[in-house]
Amino acid sequence: MDFTFTEEQQAAAEAARAALADVAVDGVPSPAVSNEPVAEDIDRELWQRLAKSDLTGLALAEEYGGSGLDPVAWCLVLREAARVLARVPLLETGAAALAVQRYGSAEQRRRLLPEVAAGRLLLGVAPHGRTGHEPADQAVRAEAGPGPDGGWLLHGTQTAVPYAPLMDRIVVPARSDLGTLLLLVDPHGPGVELRRQVTAHGEPAAEMVFDGARVEAAAVLGEPAPDGANWLHLRGLLIVGNAALCLGLGEQILRITADYTGKREQFGHPVATFQAVAMQAADRYVDLRAMEVTLWQAAWRIGLAEAGVAEEPGRIPLAADLATAKVWSAEGVRGIAATAQHLHGGMGADLDYPLHRYHAWAKHLELFLGPAPAYEQEVGDILAEHQL
């Protein structure tokens, strides 16, 4: 086996590090001091810098202004973004754009994707369903509109939609009599109500309430999927992207902790030399390596699916690798953040020290798309059906 990244993938990570080099982790108010968002907008300056570095359309085809790279390269960029708590929708816009590229019509791809690659169009995703504990494609009902080209009328609710008030279009999964639909919805259009929400890490979000919102047929991505495969693929992209964010965040938290415990002295010695401290840090390092290997396995396989490569007969389904990556990333980032707080003592809660910001981001990423136990059950169900 060769786990070495390609030159193109490594170049993408280096470009991301350069674009993110001067991001100030404490550039916005702390999420701990208010119930208000830390800022009313994303970091637009950073978003444009990423676009100029060809990173907003990294995984899009070159014909649409992208770089034509795979989900592994996209995840490498997300990993770098998490290390500096970059306040940009690289995950949401990247996943939504890949859904447009995979399921959209030629006209949709031609019209939307170059705008994403240029940093002029923000696409979001409604991933959490009505409560955050149910399939997202079961939360909104789509009914055929009147007339031969009446589009669809939407009824239902999607909660905790990231950056919803700031998005130009949001990919909303909805169920219909024909199967699951992916619809490009204007969050400020008629029949759509945005009820303000704030995420655990202080970012703006919204509960989207649909009361007869009309979506034109031209805004539907592909055909209805009776088995929901279109939403499951988009959800898979969100899972691997979120796992990449968890990995980058966890690595940075452990780096901060190693630096602190190496300098903090007790009884005349750095606390990092104490066995209890070193063993806890070592355990979290093992978690990082598990997070890493399960992420790249899932990202590699979903990249094959993006490229249209059929799964090998008898191989465990991609869904198992995705769920495994989600379990390890959620549990791993939670444990790393908790151990870091413990090893820092009271310093971890100091608002002039960055760790509490990373802890808030860790909690958000841990619960994004649902908690780990739900995915553990998913892995168990798959293994019961596809015995090794």
Side-chain angles (χ1 to χ4, degrees):
M1 299 182 189
D2 183 5
F3 293 106
T4 306
F5 296 118
T6 66
E7 291 184 4
E8 292 81 4
Q9 291 165 347
Q10 293 180 57
E14 291 171 3
R17 280 193 289 272
L20 297 161
D22 61 351
V23 174
V25 171
D26 58 354
V28 294
S30 168
V33 300
S34 172
N35 291 327
E36 298 297 318
V38 295
E40 293 301 326
D41 200 358
I42 66 168
D43 188 338
R44 296 278 177 175
E45 181 181 348
L46 175 59
W47 186 252
Q48 291 307 313
R49 194 157 69 241
L50 292 169
K52 289 178 181 178
S53 299
D54 298 324
L55 296 173
T56 55
L58 183 77
L60 299 178
E62 294 181 6
E63 63 184 295
Y64 305 121
S67 301
L69 299 184
D70 59 7
V72 172
W74 177 55
C75 286
L76 285 168
V77 172
L78 288 168
R79 180 189 193 178
E80 297 299 328
R83 287 173 172 162
V84 297
L85 309 184
R87 300 188 54 260
V88 288
L90 274 172
L91 171 62
E92 295 81 8
T93 296
L98 285 172
V100 172
Q101 180 170 263
R102 182 179 178 88
Y103 298 108
S105 65
E107 191 279 330
Q108 287 171 327
R109 296 195 297 269
R110 188 169 51 250
R111 175 169 52 88
L112 299 174
L113 297 184
E115 295 296 299
V116 172
R120 292 188 293 265
L121 184 71
L122 295 180
L123 298 179
V125 182
H128 290 125
R130 184 176 60 86
T131 65
H133 296 279
E134 63 184 358
D137 57 342
Q138 299 298 310
V140 175
R141 175 72 183 173
E143 299 175 352
D149 190 26
W152 298 89
L153 300 177
L154 304 185
H155 296 271
T157 301
Q158 291 277 0
T159 194
V161 180
Y163 298 111
L166 309 175
M167 295 295 174
D168 298 300
R169 293 291 185 274
I170 295 176
V171 178
V172 176
R175 69 188 190 280
S176 72
D177 292 336
L178 301 177
T180 298
L181 295 165
L182 296 181
L183 308 126
L184 286 167
V185 176
D186 180 354
H188 303 287
V192 182
E193 179 186 359
L194 297 183
R195 296 177 178 172
R196 179 180 168 282
Q197 293 178 321
V198 181
T199 64
H201 61 329
E203 296 299 311
E207 181 182 59
M208 297 183 69
V209 181
F210 302 94
D211 185 13
R214 185 175 182 274
V215 179
E216 297 180 357
V220 179
L221 298 179
E223 299 296 323
D227 58 355
N230 49 4
W231 164 244
L232 292 176
H233 183 78
L234 176 53
R235 173 176 171 260
L237 289 168
L238 291 170
I239 286 173
V240 296
N242 187 69
L245 293 173
C246 288
L247 178 62
L249 193 78
E251 289 173 330
Q252 187 63 22
I253 291 173
L254 200 59
R255 186 173 292 113
I256 291 171
T257 304
D259 183 65
Y260 177 78
T261 56
K263 295 177 180 177
R264 172 77 166 89
E265 290 193 359
Q266 189 70 289
F267 307 113
H269 299 278
V271 297
T273 62
F274 299 164
Q275 186 179 45
V277 172
M279 291 180 67
Q280 289 184 69
D283 285 342
R284 301 294 78 79
Y285 178 81
V286 171
D287 287 343
L288 280 176
R289 299 288 69 81
M291 292 165 66
E292 188 171 18
V293 70
T294 53
L295 160 62
W296 300 131
Q297 169 75 359
W300 169 67
R301 289 196 66 187
I302 206 166
L304 295 179
E306 281 284 308
V309 178
E311 291 192 1
E312 298 176 12
R315 190 185 184 100
I316 192 168
L318 168 61
D321 281 332
L322 292 171
T324 301
K326 170 59 181 173
V327 170
W328 274 105
S329 63
E331 294 285 359
V333 79
R334 178 194 59 76
I336 291 167
T339 295
Q341 288 283 10
H342 175 65
L343 296 182
H344 274 82
M347 192 66 180
D350 189 329
L351 297 186
D352 293 324
Y353 189 74
L355 185 61
H356 76 284
R357 296 177 183 270
Y358 284 90
H359 191 276
W361 277 67
K363 182 53 63 177
H364 168 73
L365 295 178
E366 175 197 349
L367 298 177
F368 186 76
L369 298 172
Y375 292 85
E376 291 171 348
Q377 179 177 340
E378 187 173 330
V379 172
D381 292 342
I382 294 172
L383 292 178
E385 183 177 353
H386 301 270
Q387 305 224 348
L388 300 178

